[in-house]
């Protein structure tokens, strides 16, 4: 069961896309998680650990059970066996920086212990969530923690937030810079500081995400390539491989509502099939849903 809602606080509404909590166990063992250009705060209530894997099954990151996930630019593997009780915060693009106290670029492609950023407040947050009597109460605890941090932090960079919105809508990086009156160098500096990636890479990920949203209908992949600004179908396939780890034909998401979650055929990974060596995929390792 998953429960999600937007924040009720007007202060948090522009910064947070959703607060969510999940309890349950999926039939498949592993998933490929696709990049979205966003950051998340994650709390594992099942075990006090997170593990993040590369596509070859090698361990990429290991943290305690409260972590900040930076903007990812490539797919990664997660173990669903330990996603039995987890909750988190999905930040709007360019909107996690008020809760970080450091440039978003320092977290790009990483999973980082929240106590490295929040100090003792990180583990305390997990303790409070473990004590929450209902899923709805968990979301209230998360919102209260975020609101306390937001009131004591610097505001987000509104120009970068506007830039993200424009790029997600299909605007070119050049057009965004002109509209905001920012030189290419200044746009890149501010964008990396608040989003974690350069605007051109963010625009590519946003275009990939728009193509995902349109996939599964009557349009062919060639039509999708044309509709979303790829130079041709071959260009779409290259971008698809870069951000999903598979071709468009092989793309099979968990559901239409979970397009960034791709169940894995475990036979593709010798390290999963039994007796994995140290540092490779093994049972009870996980990250966000």
């Amino acid at each position: 069961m998953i429960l999600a809602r937007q924040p009720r606080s007007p202060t948090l509404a522009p910064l947070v896309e959703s607060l969510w909590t999940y309890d349950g166990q999926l039939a498949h063992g592993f998933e490929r998680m696709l990049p979205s250009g966003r950051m998340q705060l994650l709390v594992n209530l099942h075990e006090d650990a997170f593990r993040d894997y590369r596509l070859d099954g090698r361990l990429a990151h290991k943290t305690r059970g409260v972590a900040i996930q930076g903007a990812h630019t490539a797919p990664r593997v997660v173990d669903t066996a330990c996603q039995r009780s987890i909750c988190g915060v999905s930040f709007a693009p360019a909107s996690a920086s008020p809760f970080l106290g450091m440039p978003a670029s320092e977290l790009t492609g990483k999973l980082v212990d929240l106590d490295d950023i929040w100090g003792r407040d990180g583990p305390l947050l997990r303790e409070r969530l473990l004590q929450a009597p209902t899923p709805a109460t968990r979301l209230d605890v998360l919102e209260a923690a975020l609101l306390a941090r937001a009131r004591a932090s610097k505001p987000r960079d509104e120009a970068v937030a506007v830039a993200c919105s424009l790029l997600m809508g299909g605007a070119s990086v050049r057009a965004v810079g002109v509209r905001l009156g920012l030189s290419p160098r200044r746009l890149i500096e501010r964008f990396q500081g608040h989003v974690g990636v350069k605007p051109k890479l963010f625009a590519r990920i946003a275009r990939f995400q728009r193509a995902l949203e349109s996939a599964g209908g009557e349009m062919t992949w060639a039509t999708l390539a044309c509709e979303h600004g790829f130079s041709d179908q071959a260009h779409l396939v290259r971008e698809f491989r870069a951000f999903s780890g598979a071709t468009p034909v092989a793309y099979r998401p968990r559901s239409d509502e979970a397009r960034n979650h791709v169940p894995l055929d475990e036979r593709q990974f010798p390290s999963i099939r039994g007796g994995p060596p140290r540092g490779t995929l093994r049972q009870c390792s996980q990250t966000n849903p």
Side-chain angles (χ1 to χ4, degrees), residues 7 58 89 99 104 132 138 144 176 218 271 276-277:
R58 295 287 176 179
V89 178
F99 307 97
R138 292 179 193 168
V176 169
E218 295 182 358
S271 61

Side-chain angles (χ1 to χ4, degrees), residues 15-260:
L15 307 177
V16 173
E17 289 187 336
S18 71
L19 308 161
W20 51 265
T21 184
Y22 173 83
D23 290 282
Q25 188 169 358
L26 298 170
H28 53 274
F30 297 91
E31 286 186 341
R32 213 183 306 125
M33 292 291 300
L34 312 188
S36 67
R38 290 160 172 77
M39 301 180 68
Q40 294 196 89
L41 185 158
L42 305 168
V43 185
N44 187 353
L45 303 178
H46 179 67
E47 64 168 314
D48 191 11
F50 279 109
R51 299 175 188 87
D52 203 354
Y53 296 88
R54 301 184 179 91
L55 293 187
D56 62 3
R58 295 287 176 179
L59 182 65
H61 307 102
K62 180 180 179 181
T63 72
R64 297 180 62 183
V66 190
I68 288 285
Q69 176 190 289
H72 279 262
T73 60
R76 65 201 189 282
V77 174
V78 299
D79 179 356
T80 64
C82 289
Q83 292 184 352
R84 300 172 192 175
S85 187
I86 186 171
C87 56
V89 178
S90 297
F91 295 106
S95 299
S97 53
F99 307 97
L100 302 179
M102 64 175 66
S105 56
E106 294 186 19
L107 304 174
T108 303
K110 298 178 182 177
L111 195 63
V112 178
D113 281 311
L114 186 62
D115 57 354
D116 290 344
I117 301 172
W118 285 15
R120 179 59 183 156
D121 287 346
L124 282 175
L125 175 60
R126 184 173 185 271
E127 292 176 15
R128 294 190 182 108
L129 289 165
L130 284 168
Q131 295 168 2
T134 66
T137 308
R138 292 179 193 168
L139 302 188
D140 294 338
V141 171
L142 280 172
E143 181 160 4
L146 289 177
L147 190 57
R149 305 294 299 191
R151 286 171 173 163
S153 64
K154 296 180 180 180
R156 71 175 180 180
D157 188 320
E158 292 299 330
V160 176
V162 170
C164 287
S165 179
L166 293 171
L167 293 173
M168 288 189 295
S172 69
V173 174
R174 179 182 176 84
V176 169
V178 170
R179 176 165 175 174
L180 297 178
L182 296 173
S183 68
R185 180 176 178 179
R186 187 61 179 144
L187 177 61
I188 289 172
E189 289 176 350
R190 289 171 64 172
F191 209 92
Q192 284 189 296
H194 292 273
V195 181
V197 299
K198 293 182 179 181
K200 185 174 181 180
L201 179 53
F202 182 86
R204 288 175 57 205
I205 294 172
R207 180 176 57 190
F208 167 72
Q209 287 291 332
R210 292 195 301 273
L212 287 188
E213 291 176 3
S214 303
E218 295 182 358
M219 284 194 291
T220 66
W221 289 107
T223 302
L224 280 174
C226 181
E227 287 284 330
H228 294 291
F230 297 93
S231 57
D232 53 27
Q233 187 171 343
H235 182 203
L236 169 62
V237 171
R238 289 194 301 273
E239 293 290 89
F240 223 91
R241 282 188 180 276
F243 295 130
S244 77
T247 64
V249 174
Y251 169 67
R252 296 288 186 276
R254 186 202 298 174
S255 67
D256 288 343
E257 294 74 32
R259 293 190 176 277
N260 287 323

Side-chain angles (χ1 to χ4, degrees), residues 58 276-280 282:
R58 295 287 176 179
R278 184 179 180 182
T280 56
R282 56 187 179 272

